[in-house]
Amino acid sequence: MAFSHETTPGTDVYGPGTFIDKHVLPVPEDTRRVFEYLASKTPGFTQNKEVWDTVHFEGEPDPMIPGPIKSPVVAAALHAMCGVVGNELVELRDSRPAAEGSVTVNTDQAAIWLGSVATTHINGSDIPAIAISGKLNTLFDRDFEQGFGKGLASRATAIYQTKDPNVWYQLHGSLDANRVLKTMGIDTNVAFNTPSEYYDYIQKHVRQWSPDELEMHNVRHGLCGSICYKPESWRSTEMGKQLAKHPYVNYTHEAYAAPTPQQPLPKVPGDRRPLAGIKVLEMVRIIAGPTIGVTLAAFGADVIRVNCSKLPDLNLLQLVLNAGKRTIDLDITKPNDMARLRELIADVDVFIQGFRYGSLDRKGLGLRDMLELAASRGKGIVYVDENCYGPDGPFAERPGWQQIGDAASGSSYVMGRSLGYADEKCVLPPLPVSDMTTGVVGALAAMMAIRDRAVKGGSYHVLSSLVAADNLSLEEEVGLYPLDVVRETAEKFGFVPSTPDQFVMEILLQVIAGWKKGRPGYLDEDSPLMTTFDQGPWGRQTLLKPVVRLDEEAVTPRWTTAPVPNCYHDRNINWH
């Protein structure tokens, strides 16, 4: 069913390069429209309309996150696409036509999924309650944060006004805030009483720099940061133009590599999920990369996550993003650990890496290295790169995190305009949208590659980037909510306006408080959207179910094991 969609330029409301819906559709209907748009524009995705018609969206008609950006609509559409590919995989393995299956996505659940890293319950208490009690850090036997988020470091990742008062800059501490600040000549041996004082201290220094000076400084020092572009301004940059040449769901058959045969999908006794028996190894941190793996795990993949305990990460994220996985500790600078890693890689189907684009090439773990491995073993591989700026262009090898995607794409600018701030002040989107969207896009592309490997053979390269994920929700074909809808949503949920000094988790907790008011019961332990593990490493744990529901319980995505801490299992574990 096609829904008409018209937009009007949003230049005077949200800035140049924005487009506002003339008529606002109910969220499930709008998601159907966006699903069909993305399905039609994604190379390799089925164009069989009978299969599209197996997809169903349900949920409340009104939006449920702050701001005009339709990230829950986009997320729900992408999850539905994963469901379609899941049914195609079941067809290849079990000979049940995909057109005879079904895919159901709850659009409210997709919205909550964007913030699900902070919606879990541990032994009857949810994360906001544990955080307010001051006991969050007591959950973790090992502290991976290494001082992140304390003192001055707590405001090294924030949006700052530059020497040009109408241009704001996303500074990023990259889990090593003191190094970042010291390169700027900022004395880090200071102590204040409140986060706002730390922010004001850094702001005083940043205001002495022009946007271009900050940009060149970060390029020169290999640091992370971005001008907060307007959407139109980003699209006109050389990097924006280069990124726009690529599809959002970006995977390619590496036809130049030595051919490898078709790889039938394995049949695992007692497990009919679409990816049962597929081996996935991930070397990732923070949110986007782990979201790829946790999504594949829900669809049945055997996922082993490799971390190095010397590298910092955010403790909280283990509570959700390690569901259905096993995790081990390897330091690949040590020959024995690298040898152990190569033993695991020898039979892997999907390799996910979230380090700076090209950095693993120097370790012999790049795409070409894996293609050589695939040729030597006679079995193709799916190599997944998760990065900030995409596969090529002048910024391709620059580091970047979620906030950089938000700043570069124009999302932070649009959010600031929607709140009516002066001086073109920018603020983060209300959820880790680019991280989570990058994750589901990467998972979707990896599933399509596994499907194609089963049919055609060969190896595949997946690239999922943060800026592209943000760009997707700013497309004219997606549209933005009008300002009156934004204000009505904020009033209904009691959302607190966010500010440039806030870190994403601080904003997320505010949004969760709004959800409890506007969608009572949705986040409770006994909510039908939740699933519970009675005995996990943290005790009884409840977390949001996978978003996709297929027609049969046996094939529907689910996690069979509770989340575990990073570096939890014996390093000598083997594939199931």
Side-chain angles (χ1 to χ4, degrees), residues 11-24:
T11 304
D12 296 333
V13 181
Y14 301 131
T18 62
F19 306 92
I20 302 173
D21 285 0
K22 284 187 176 181
H23 307 286
V24 178

Side-chain angles (χ1 to χ4, degrees), residues 139-451:
L139 294 176
F140 308 105
D141 294 333
R142 181 182 293 182
D143 182 12
F144 288 94
E145 294 186 357
Q146 303 177 14
F148 171 83
K150 298 176 181 176
L152 193 63
S154 70
R155 290 299 174 261
T157 299
I159 299 174
Y160 289 96
Q161 192 175 35
T162 67
K163 187 185 292 185
D164 181 339
N166 290 320
V167 180
W168 293 68
Y169 195 88
Q170 175 68 64
L171 208 62
H172 204 290
S174 297
L175 302 178
D176 190 2
N178 284 346
R179 172 176 173 253
V180 172
L181 297 174
K182 285 177 180 177
T183 67
M184 298 175 66
I186 299 176
D187 182 6
T188 58
N189 295 312
V190 296
F192 299 108
N193 295 320
T194 64
S196 62
E197 290 177 289
Y198 285 111
Y199 178 82
D200 292 342
Y201 173 74
I202 297 174
Q203 174 64 91
K204 180 181 69 175
H205 289 84
V206 175
R207 199 174 278 120
Q208 300 171 25
W209 297 65
S210 73
D212 287 338
E213 287 171 340
L214 286 164
E215 198 79 329
M216 289 309 300
H217 172 84
N218 284 328
V219 169
R220 184 165 59 250
H221 289 274
L223 299 174
C224 181
S226 177
I227 294 169
C228 290
Y229 287 93
K230 303 176 180 68
E232 186 175 275
S233 300
W234 167 254
R235 293 179 192 130
S236 67
T237 65
E238 190 59 35
M239 188 64 236
K241 294 175 184 176
Q242 195 66 29
L243 187 57
K245 296 177 182 178
H246 299 282
Y248 287 113
V249 184
N250 188 356
Y251 81 108
T252 53
H253 177 209
E254 301 302 283
Y256 60 88
T260 52
Q262 297 170 340
Q263 194 65 33
L265 293 167
K267 291 191 175 185
V268 177
D271 192 347
R272 290 186 55 224
R273 289 175 297 168
L275 291 176
I278 295 296
K279 303 176 181 69
V280 177
L281 189 141
E282 58 174 35
M283 297 181 66
V284 293
R285 289 189 289 166
I286 311 299
I287 298 178
T291 297
I292 300 174
V294 80
T295 304
L296 298 179
F299 275 88
D302 182 11
V303 180
I304 295 178
R305 177 175 179 176
V306 176
N307 284 98
C308 175
S309 56
K310 295 193 306 184
L311 297 177
D313 207 331
L314 300 185
N315 293 330
L316 173 69
L317 304 178
Q318 306 165 85
L319 296 175
V320 170
L321 297 182
N322 286 347
K325 300 179 185 178
R326 292 178 291 164
T327 66
I328 61 174
D329 185 3
L330 295 178
D331 179 354
I332 61 173
T333 65
K334 299 178 180 179
N336 287 344
D337 284 20
M338 176 62 89
R340 177 68 191 119
L341 178 66
R342 292 192 182 282
E343 289 175 354
L344 289 169
I345 290 173
D347 197 35
V348 79
D349 296 295
V350 181
F351 179 82
I352 306 168
Q353 78 90 15
F355 293 87
R356 190 181 307 192
Y357 197 52
S359 63
L360 286 190
D361 293 53
R362 296 183 285 275
K363 302 288 187 181
L365 299 171
L367 173 62
R368 291 186 181 275
D369 301 297
M370 295 298 183
L371 294 178
E372 291 177 5
L373 167 68
S376 67
R377 70 185 187 180
K379 173 185 172 183
I381 194 167
V382 177
Y383 191 96
V384 182
D385 274 309
E386 174 268 310
N387 76 352
C388 187
Y389 291 102
D392 47 31
F395 284 4
E397 294 190 17
R398 283 192 69 183
W401 306 84
Q402 173 220 312
Q403 296 92 336
I404 305 306
D406 297 335
S409 64
S411 295
S412 296
Y413 180 85
V414 169
M415 282 301 302
R417 288 289 294 264
S418 75
L419 291 168
Y421 286 132
D423 299 325
E424 304 202 345
K425 183 184 294 185
C426 300
V427 298
L428 289 175
L431 302 163
V433 169
S434 63
D435 265 331
M436 298 296 286
T437 307
T438 299
V440 71
V441 167
L444 170 59
M447 292 174 68
M448 293 170 71
I450 287 292
R451 177 203 63 193

